[in-house]
Coordinates of all heavy atoms in Angstrom, one line a residue:
M1 N 15.1 22.4 47.6 CA 15.4 21.5 48.7 C 14.5 21.8 49.8 O 14.3 22.9 50.2 CB 16.9 21.9 49.1 CG 17.9 20.9 49.4 SD 17.9 19.4 48.6 CE 17.8 18.3 49.9
T2 N 13.9 20.7 50.3 CA 13.0 20.8 51.4 C 13.1 19.6 52.3 O 13.6 18.6 51.9 CB 11.5 21.0 50.9 OG1 10.7 21.1 52.1 CG2 11.1 19.9 50.0
N3 N 12.8 19.7 53.6 CA 12.8 18.6 54.4 C 11.4 17.9 54.5 O 11.2 17.0 55.3 CB 13.3 19.0 55.8 CG 12.5 20.0 56.5 OD1 11.5 20.5 56.0 ND2 12.9 20.4 57.7
R4 N 10.5 18.4 53.7 CA 9.2 17.8 53.7 C 8.6 17.9 52.3 O 9.1 18.7 51.5 CB 8.2 18.4 54.7 CG 8.0 19.9 54.5 CD 7.2 20.5 55.6 NE 7.3 22.0 55.5 CZ 6.3 22.7 55.0 NH1 5.2 22.2 54.5 NH2 6.5 24.0 54.9
E5 N 7.7 17.0 51.9 CA 7.1 17.1 50.6 C 6.1 18.2 50.5 O 5.3 18.5 51.4 CB 6.4 15.8 50.3 CG 7.3 14.6 50.1 CD 6.6 13.4 49.6 OE1 5.6 13.5 48.9 OE2 7.1 12.3 49.9
L6 N 6.3 19.0 49.4 CA 5.4 20.1 49.1 C 4.8 19.9 47.7 O 5.4 19.4 46.8 CB 6.2 21.4 49.2 CG 6.8 21.8 50.5 CD1 7.8 23.0 50.3 CD2 5.7 22.1 51.5
P7 N 3.5 20.4 47.6 CA 2.9 20.3 46.2 C 3.5 21.5 45.3 O 3.8 22.6 45.8 CB 1.5 20.6 46.5 CG 1.4 21.3 47.8 CD 2.6 20.9 48.6
S8 N 3.7 21.2 44.1 CA 4.2 22.2 43.2 C 3.0 22.9 42.5 O 2.1 22.3 42.1 CB 5.1 21.5 42.1 OG 5.5 22.5 41.2
T9 N 3.1 24.2 42.5 CA 2.0 25.0 41.9 C 2.3 25.3 40.4 O 1.4 25.9 39.8 CB 1.8 26.3 42.7 OG1 3.0 27.0 42.7 CG2 1.4 26.0 44.1
R10 N 3.5 25.0 39.9 CA 3.9 25.3 38.6 C 4.7 24.1 38.0 O 5.4 23.5 38.7 CB 4.8 26.6 38.5 CG 4.1 27.8 38.9 CD 5.1 29.0 38.7 NE 4.4 30.2 39.2 CZ 5.0 31.3 39.3 NH1 6.3 31.5 38.8 NH2 4.4 32.4 39.7
E11 N 4.6 23.9 36.7 CA 5.3 22.9 36.0 C 6.8 23.1 36.1 O 7.6 22.1 36.2 CB 4.9 22.8 34.5 CG 4.0 21.6 34.2 CD 3.8 21.6 32.7 OE1 4.7 21.4 32.0 OE2 2.6 21.7 32.3
S12 N 7.3 24.3 36.1 CA 8.7 24.6 36.1 C 9.3 24.6 37.5 O 10.5 24.8 37.7 CB 8.9 26.0 35.5 OG 8.3 27.0 36.3
V13 N 8.5 24.3 38.6 CA 9.0 24.3 40.0 C 9.0 22.8 40.5 O 8.0 22.2 40.4 CB 8.1 25.2 40.9 CG1 8.6 25.0 42.3 CG2 8.2 26.6 40.4
E14 N 10.1 22.4 41.0 CA 10.2 21.1 41.5 C 10.8 21.2 42.9 O 11.7 22.0 43.2 CB 11.1 20.2 40.7 CG 10.7 19.9 39.3 CD 11.7 19.1 38.5 OE1 12.2 18.1 39.1 OE2 12.0 19.5 37.4
F15 N 10.3 20.4 43.8 CA 10.8 20.3 45.2 C 11.5 19.0 45.3 O 11.2 18.0 44.7 CB 9.7 20.4 46.2 CG 9.0 21.7 46.2 CD1 7.8 21.9 45.6 CD2 9.6 22.8 46.9 CE1 7.2 23.2 45.6 CE2 9.0 24.0 46.9 CZ 7.8 24.2 46.3
Y16 N 12.6 18.9 46.2 CA 13.3 17.7 46.4 C 13.7 17.6 47.8 O 14.0 18.6 48.5 CB 14.6 17.8 45.6 CG 15.5 16.5 45.7 CD1 15.2 15.4 45.0 CD2 16.5 16.5 46.6 CE1 16.0 14.2 45.1 CE2 17.3 15.3 46.8 CZ 17.0 14.2 46.0 OH 17.7 13.1 46.1
S17 N 13.6 16.4 48.4 CA 13.9 16.1 49.7 C 14.7 14.7 49.7 O 14.1 13.7 49.3 CB 12.7 16.0 50.6 OG 13.1 15.6 51.9
G18 N 16.0 14.8 50.0 CA 16.7 13.5 49.9 C 18.2 13.8 49.8 O 18.7 14.8 50.2
D19 N 18.9 12.8 49.2 CA 20.4 12.8 49.1 C 20.8 13.9 48.1 O 20.5 13.9 47.0 CB 20.8 11.4 48.7 CG 22.3 11.4 48.6 OD1 23.0 11.2 49.7 OD2 22.8 11.4 47.5
L20 N 21.7 14.8 48.6 CA 22.1 15.9 47.7 C 23.1 15.4 46.6 O 23.0 15.9 45.5 CB 22.9 17.0 48.5 CG 22.0 17.8 49.5 CD1 22.9 18.8 50.2 CD2 21.0 18.6 48.7
K21 N 23.9 14.5 46.9 CA 24.8 13.9 45.8 C 24.0 13.3 44.7 O 24.3 13.5 43.6 CB 25.8 12.9 46.4 CG 26.9 13.6 47.2 CD 28.1 12.7 47.3 CE 29.2 13.5 47.9 NZ 30.5 13.3 47.4
K22 N 22.9 12.6 45.1 CA 22.0 12.0 44.1 C 21.3 13.1 43.3 O 21.2 13.0 42.1 CB 21.0 11.1 44.7 CG 20.1 10.4 43.7 CD 19.1 9.5 44.4 CE 18.2 8.9 43.3 NZ 17.2 8.1 43.9
L23 N 20.9 14.1 44.0 CA 20.2 15.2 43.3 C 21.0 15.9 42.3 O 20.6 16.0 41.1 CB 19.7 16.3 44.4 CG 19.2 17.6 43.8 CD1 17.9 17.4 43.1 CD2 19.0 18.6 44.9
V24 N 22.3 16.2 42.7 CA 23.2 16.8 41.7 C 23.7 15.9 40.7 O 23.6 16.2 39.5 CB 24.4 17.5 42.5 CG1 25.4 18.0 41.5 CG2 23.9 18.6 43.4
G25 N 24.2 14.7 41.1 CA 24.9 13.8 40.1 C 23.9 13.1 39.2 O 24.3 12.9 38.0
E26 N 22.8 12.7 39.6 CA 21.9 11.9 38.8 C 20.7 12.7 38.2 O 20.1 12.3 37.2 CB 21.3 10.7 39.6 CG 22.4 9.8 40.1 CD 21.9 8.7 41.0 OE1 20.7 8.4 40.9 OE2 22.7 8.1 41.7
I27 N 20.3 13.8 38.9 CA 19.1 14.5 38.4 C 19.4 15.8 37.8 O 19.0 16.0 36.6 CB 18.1 14.6 39.6 CG1 17.7 13.3 40.2 CG2 16.9 15.4 39.2 CD1 17.0 13.3 41.5
L28 N 20.1 16.7 38.4 CA 20.3 18.0 37.9 C 21.4 18.1 36.9 O 21.2 18.7 35.8 CB 20.6 19.0 39.1 CG 19.4 19.2 40.1 CD1 19.8 20.1 41.2 CD2 18.2 19.7 39.4
A29 N 22.6 17.7 37.2 CA 23.8 17.8 36.3 C 23.5 17.2 34.9 O 23.8 17.9 33.9 CB 25.0 17.3 36.9
P30 N 23.0 16.0 34.8 CA 22.7 15.5 33.4 C 21.7 16.3 32.7 O 21.8 16.5 31.4 CB 22.2 14.1 33.7 CG 22.6 13.7 35.0 CD 22.7 15.0 35.8
R31 N 20.8 16.9 33.4 CA 19.7 17.7 32.7 C 20.2 19.1 32.4 O 19.8 19.6 31.3 CB 18.5 17.7 33.6 CG 17.3 18.2 32.9 CD 16.0 18.4 33.8 NE 15.8 17.4 34.8 CZ 14.9 17.4 35.7 NH1 14.1 18.5 35.8 NH2 14.7 16.5 36.6
Y32 N 20.9 19.7 33.3 CA 21.2 21.2 33.1 C 22.7 21.5 32.9 O 23.0 22.6 32.5 CB 20.7 22.0 34.3 CG 19.2 21.8 34.5 CD1 18.7 21.1 35.6 CD2 18.3 22.4 33.6 CE1 17.3 21.0 35.7 CE2 17.0 22.2 33.7 CZ 16.5 21.5 34.8 OH 15.1 21.4 35.0
G33 N 23.6 20.6 33.4 CA 25.0 21.0 33.3 C 25.4 21.8 34.5 O 25.7 21.3 35.6
N34 N 25.3 23.1 34.4 CA 25.6 24.0 35.5 C 24.4 24.3 36.3 O 23.3 24.4 35.8 CB 26.1 25.4 35.0 CG 27.5 25.3 34.3 OD1 28.3 24.5 34.8 ND2 27.7 26.0 33.3
I35 N 24.6 24.3 37.6 CA 23.4 24.5 38.5 C 23.6 25.8 39.4 O 24.7 26.0 39.9 CB 23.3 23.3 39.5 CG1 23.2 22.0 38.7 CG2 22.2 23.4 40.5 CD1 23.5 20.8 39.4
W36 N 22.6 26.6 39.4 CA 22.7 27.8 40.2 C 21.9 27.6 41.5 O 20.7 27.3 41.5 CB 22.0 28.9 39.4 CG 22.0 30.3 40.1 CD1 21.2 30.7 41.0 CD2 22.9 31.3 39.8 NE1 21.5 32.0 41.4 CE2 22.6 32.4 40.7 CE3 24.0 31.5 39.0 CZ2 23.2 33.6 40.7 CZ3 24.7 32.7 39.0 CH2 24.3 33.8 39.8
L37 N 22.6 27.6 42.6 CA 22.0 27.4 43.9 C 21.7 28.7 44.6 O 22.6 29.5 44.8 CB 22.9 26.5 44.8 CG 22.5 26.3 46.3 CD1 21.2 25.5 46.4 CD2 23.6 25.7 47.0
V38 N 20.5 28.9 44.9 CA 20.1 30.1 45.7 C 19.5 29.6 47.0 O 18.5 28.9 47.0 CB 19.1 31.0 44.9 CG1 18.7 32.2 45.8 CG2 19.7 31.4 43.6
G39 N 20.1 30.0 48.1 CA 19.6 29.5 49.4 C 20.4 30.1 50.5 O 21.2 31.0 50.3
G40 N 20.0 29.7 51.7 CA 20.6 30.2 52.9 C 21.9 29.5 53.3 O 22.4 28.6 52.6
A41 N 22.4 29.8 54.5 CA 23.6 29.3 55.0 C 23.6 27.8 55.2 O 24.5 27.1 54.8 CB 24.0 30.0 56.3
M42 N 22.5 27.3 55.7 CA 22.4 25.8 55.9 C 22.5 25.0 54.6 O 23.2 24.0 54.5 CB 21.2 25.5 56.7 CG 21.2 26.0 58.1 SD 19.7 25.7 59.1 CE 19.6 23.9 59.1
L43 N 21.8 25.5 53.6 CA 21.8 24.8 52.3 C 23.2 24.9 51.7 O 23.8 23.9 51.2 CB 20.8 25.4 51.4 CG 20.6 24.7 50.0 CD1 20.2 23.2 50.2 CD2 19.6 25.4 49.2
G44 N 23.8 26.1 51.7 CA 25.1 26.3 51.2 C 26.2 25.4 51.9 O 27.0 24.8 51.3
Q45 N 26.1 25.3 53.2 CA 27.0 24.5 54.0 C 26.9 23.0 53.6 O 27.9 22.3 53.5 CB 26.7 24.6 55.5 CG 27.1 26.0 56.0 CD 26.6 26.2 57.5 OE1 26.1 25.2 58.1 NE2 26.7 27.4 58.0
S46 N 25.7 22.6 53.4 CA 25.5 21.2 53.0 C 26.1 20.9 51.6 O 26.8 19.9 51.5 CB 24.0 20.9 52.9 OG 23.3 21.0 54.1
F47 N 26.0 21.8 50.7 CA 26.6 21.6 49.4 C 28.1 21.6 49.5 O 28.9 20.9 48.8 CB 26.1 22.6 48.3 CG 24.8 22.2 47.7 CD1 23.6 22.3 48.3 CD2 24.8 21.6 46.4 CE1 22.4 21.9 47.8 CE2 23.6 21.2 45.8 CZ 22.4 21.4 46.5
L48 N 28.7 22.6 50.3 CA 30.1 22.7 50.5 C 30.7 21.5 51.1 O 31.7 21.0 50.7 CB 30.4 23.9 51.3 CG 30.3 25.3 50.6 CD1 30.3 26.4 51.6 CD2 31.4 25.4 49.6
R49 N 30.0 21.0 52.2 CA 30.5 19.8 52.9 C 30.6 18.6 52.0 O 31.5 17.8 52.2 CB 29.5 19.5 54.1 CG 30.0 18.5 55.1 CD 29.0 18.3 56.2 NE 28.6 19.5 56.9 CZ 27.4 20.1 56.8 NH1 26.5 19.6 56.1 NH2 27.2 21.2 57.5
L50 N 29.8 18.5 51.1 CA 29.8 17.3 50.2 C 30.7 17.5 48.9 O 30.8 16.7 48.1 CB 28.4 17.0 49.7 CG 27.4 16.5 50.8 CD1 26.0 16.4 50.3 CD2 27.9 15.1 51.4
G51 N 31.3 18.7 48.8 CA 32.2 19.0 47.7 C 31.5 19.2 46.4 O 32.0 18.9 45.3
L52 N 30.2 19.7 46.5 CA 29.4 19.9 45.3 C 29.5 21.3 44.7 O 28.7 21.6 43.8 CB 27.9 19.5 45.6 CG 27.7 18.1 46.1 CD1 26.3 17.9 46.5 CD2 28.0 17.2 44.9
V53 N 30.4 22.1 45.3 CA 30.4 23.5 44.9 C 31.7 23.8 44.1 O 32.8 23.5 44.6 CB 30.4 24.5 46.1 CG1 30.5 25.9 45.7 CG2 29.1 24.3 46.9
D54 N 31.6 24.3 42.9 CA 32.8 24.7 42.1 C 33.1 26.2 42.1 O 34.2 26.6 41.9 CB 32.6 24.3 40.6 CG 32.5 22.8 40.4 OD1 33.2 22.1 41.1 OD2 31.7 22.3 39.6
E55 N 32.1 27.0 42.3 CA 32.2 28.4 42.3 C 31.2 29.0 43.2 O 30.1 28.6 43.4 CB 31.9 28.9 40.9 CG 32.0 30.4 40.7 CD 31.8 30.8 39.2 OE1 31.8 29.9 38.3 OE2 31.5 32.0 39.0
I56 N 31.6 30.1 43.9 CA 30.8 30.8 44.8 C 30.7 32.3 44.3 O 31.7 32.9 44.1 CB 31.3 30.8 46.3 CG1 31.3 29.4 46.8 CG2 30.4 31.7 47.1 CD1 31.9 29.2 48.2
R57 N 29.5 32.7 44.1 CA 29.2 34.1 43.8 C 28.4 34.7 45.0 O 27.2 34.3 45.1 CB 28.5 34.3 42.5 CG 29.3 33.9 41.3 CD 28.6 34.1 40.0 NE 29.4 33.6 38.9 CZ 29.1 33.9 37.7 NH1 28.1 34.6 37.4 NH2 29.9 33.4 36.7
L58 N 29.0 35.4 45.8 CA 28.4 35.8 47.1 C 27.9 37.3 47.0 O 28.6 38.2 46.6 CB 29.4 35.7 48.2 CG 28.9 36.0 49.6 CD1 27.8 35.0 50.0 CD2 30.1 35.9 50.6
M59 N 26.6 37.5 47.3 CA 26.1 38.8 47.3 C 25.9 39.2 48.8 O 25.3 38.4 49.5 CB 24.8 38.9 46.6 CG 24.2 40.3 46.5 SD 22.6 40.4 45.7 CE 21.5 39.9 47.0
I60 N 26.3 40.3 49.2 CA 26.1 40.8 50.5 C 25.2 42.0 50.5 O 25.5 43.0 49.9 CB 27.5 41.1 51.2 CG1 28.4 39.9 51.2 CG2 27.3 41.7 52.6 CD1 29.8 40.2 51.6
A61 N 24.1 41.9 51.3 CA 23.2 43.0 51.4 C 23.7 43.8 52.6 O 23.8 43.2 53.7 CB 21.8 42.5 51.6
P62 N 24.0 45.1 52.4 CA 24.5 45.9 53.5 C 23.5 46.3 54.6 O 23.2 47.5 54.8 CB 25.1 47.1 52.8 CG 24.2 47.2 51.6 CD 23.8 45.8 51.2
V63 N 22.9 45.3 55.2 CA 21.9 45.6 56.2 C 22.2 44.7 57.4 O 22.5 43.5 57.3 CB 20.5 45.2 55.7 CG1 19.5 45.4 56.8 CG2 20.1 46.0 54.5
I64 N 22.2 45.3 58.6 CA 22.5 44.5 59.8 C 21.2 44.1 60.4 O 20.4 45.0 60.8 CB 23.3 45.3 60.8 CG1 24.7 45.6 60.2 CG2 23.5 44.6 62.1 CD1 25.6 46.5 61.1
L65 N 20.9 42.8 60.5 CA 19.6 42.4 61.0 C 19.8 41.7 62.4 O 18.8 41.1 62.9 CB 19.0 41.4 60.0 CG 18.7 41.9 58.6 CD1 18.2 40.8 57.7 CD2 17.6 43.0 58.7
G66 N 21.0 41.6 62.9 CA 21.2 40.9 64.2 C 21.9 39.6 64.0 O 22.5 39.4 63.0
D67 N 21.7 38.7 64.9 CA 22.3 37.4 64.9 C 21.7 36.6 63.8 O 20.6 36.7 63.4 CB 22.2 36.7 66.2 CG 23.0 37.3 67.3 OD1 24.0 38.0 67.0 OD2 22.6 37.2 68.5
G68 N 22.5 35.7 63.2 CA 22.1 34.8 62.2 C 23.0 33.7 62.0 O 24.0 33.5 62.8
L69 N 22.8 32.8 61.1 CA 23.7 31.7 60.8 C 24.9 32.2 60.0 O 24.8 33.0 59.1 CB 23.0 30.6 60.0 CG 21.8 30.0 60.7 CD1 21.1 29.1 59.7 CD2 22.3 29.2 61.9
H70 N 26.1 31.7 60.4 CA 27.3 32.0 59.6 C 27.3 31.1 58.3 O 26.9 30.0 58.3 CB 28.5 31.6 60.4 CG 28.7 32.4 61.7 ND1 29.3 33.7 61.6 CD2 28.3 32.2 62.9 CE1 29.2 34.2 62.9 NE2 28.7 33.3 63.7
L71 N 27.7 31.7 57.2 CA 27.7 31.0 56.0 C 28.8 30.0 56.0 O 28.6 28.9 55.5 CB 28.0 32.0 54.8 CG 28.0 31.4 53.4 CD1 26.7 30.7 53.1 CD2 28.3 32.5 52.4
F72 N 30.0 30.3 56.5 CA 31.1 29.4 56.5 C 31.4 29.0 57.9 O 32.2 29.7 58.6 CB 32.3 30.0 55.8 CG 32.1 30.4 54.4 CD1 32.0 31.7 54.0 CD2 31.9 29.4 53.4 CE1 31.8 32.1 52.7 CE2 31.6 29.8 52.1 CZ 31.6 31.1 51.8
V73 N 30.9 27.9 58.4 CA 31.2 27.5 59.8 C 32.2 26.3 59.8 O 32.7 26.0 60.8 CB 29.9 27.1 60.6 CG1 29.0 28.3 60.8 CG2 29.2 25.9 59.9
I74 N 32.4 25.7 58.6 CA 33.3 24.6 58.5 C 34.5 25.1 57.6 O 34.3 26.0 56.8 CB 32.7 23.4 57.9 CG1 32.1 23.7 56.5 CG2 31.6 22.8 58.8 CD1 31.6 22.5 55.8
P75 N 35.7 24.6 57.9 CA 36.8 25.0 57.0 C 36.5 24.4 55.6 O 36.1 23.3 55.4 CB 38.0 24.3 57.5 CG 37.6 23.6 58.8 CD 36.1 23.7 58.9
V76 N 36.7 25.3 54.6 CA 36.4 24.9 53.2 C 37.8 24.7 52.6 O 38.6 25.5 52.6 CB 35.7 26.0 52.4 CG1 35.5 25.7 51.0 CG2 34.4 26.3 53.1
P77 N 38.0 23.4 52.0 CA 39.3 23.2 51.4 C 39.6 24.1 50.2 O 38.7 24.4 49.4 CB 39.1 21.7 50.9 CG 37.8 21.3 51.2 CD 37.1 22.4 51.9
S78 N 40.8 24.5 50.1 CA 41.2 25.4 49.1 C 41.4 24.7 47.8 O 41.9 23.6 47.8 CB 42.5 26.2 49.4 OG 42.9 27.0 48.4
R79 N 40.9 25.2 46.7 CA 41.0 24.6 45.4 C 41.7 25.6 44.5 O 41.3 26.8 44.5 CB 39.7 24.2 44.8 CG 39.0 23.1 45.5 CD 37.9 22.6 44.6 NE 36.8 22.1 45.4 CZ 35.6 21.8 44.9 NH1 35.4 21.9 43.6 NH2 34.6 21.4 45.6
S80 N 42.6 25.2 43.6 CA 43.2 26.1 42.7 C 42.2 26.7 41.8 O 41.3 26.0 41.3 CB 44.3 25.5 41.9 OG 43.8 24.4 41.2
G81 N 42.2 28.0 41.5 CA 41.3 28.6 40.6 C 40.0 29.1 41.2 O 39.2 29.7 40.6
I82 N 39.9 29.0 42.5 CA 38.7 29.5 43.2 C 39.1 30.7 44.0 O 40.0 30.7 44.7 CB 38.1 28.4 44.1 CG1 37.6 27.2 43.3 CG2 37.0 29.0 44.9 CD1 36.9 26.1 44.1

């Protein structure tokens, strides 16, 4: 996910800039089924806001680096089984 076009240096690497629902529903899900998102707070918030997250596996690195972006700044609706 990027906010600008970038050249790909490998065949297996793709960059995308655009509508997240289209990315997941029309491009990634039909091709891969499950999608593993690795990114920061802003990217995670965008996927959560659009209801595109079924499962969260959160890794916390025990290092204090100072101020940063909060991962969950919006209320996330509760779903059974999560």
Side-chain angles (χ1 to χ4, degrees):
M1 222 31 237
T2 178
N3 60 2
R4 59 190 168 98
E5 289 192 28
L6 297 171
S8 181
T9 58
R10 296 182 183 177
E11 254 185 62
S12 61
V13 176
E14 297 177 42
F15 293 99
Y16 181 83
S17 178
D19 181 80
L20 289 178
K21 283 199 174 220
K22 179 180 179 182
L23 171 65
V24 172
E26 297 177 21
I27 300 171
L28 296 177
R31 194 185 317 173
Y32 301 110
N34 293 322
I35 302 161
W36 181 280
L37 171 68
V38 178
M42 291 175 65
L43 185 60
Q45 289 170 9
S46 297
F47 276 78
L48 285 167
R49 191 177 306 109
L50 294 170
L52 298 173
V53 178
D54 293 322
E55 180 180 341
I56 295 174
R57 294 185 184 190
L58 184 63
M59 182 181 83
I60 299 172
V63 177
I64 297 176
L65 299 175
D67 291 333
L69 296 174
H70 295 276
L71 181 59
F72 303 110
V73 295
I74 58 173
V76 178
S78 177
R79 294 192 214 172
S80 62
I82 296 182

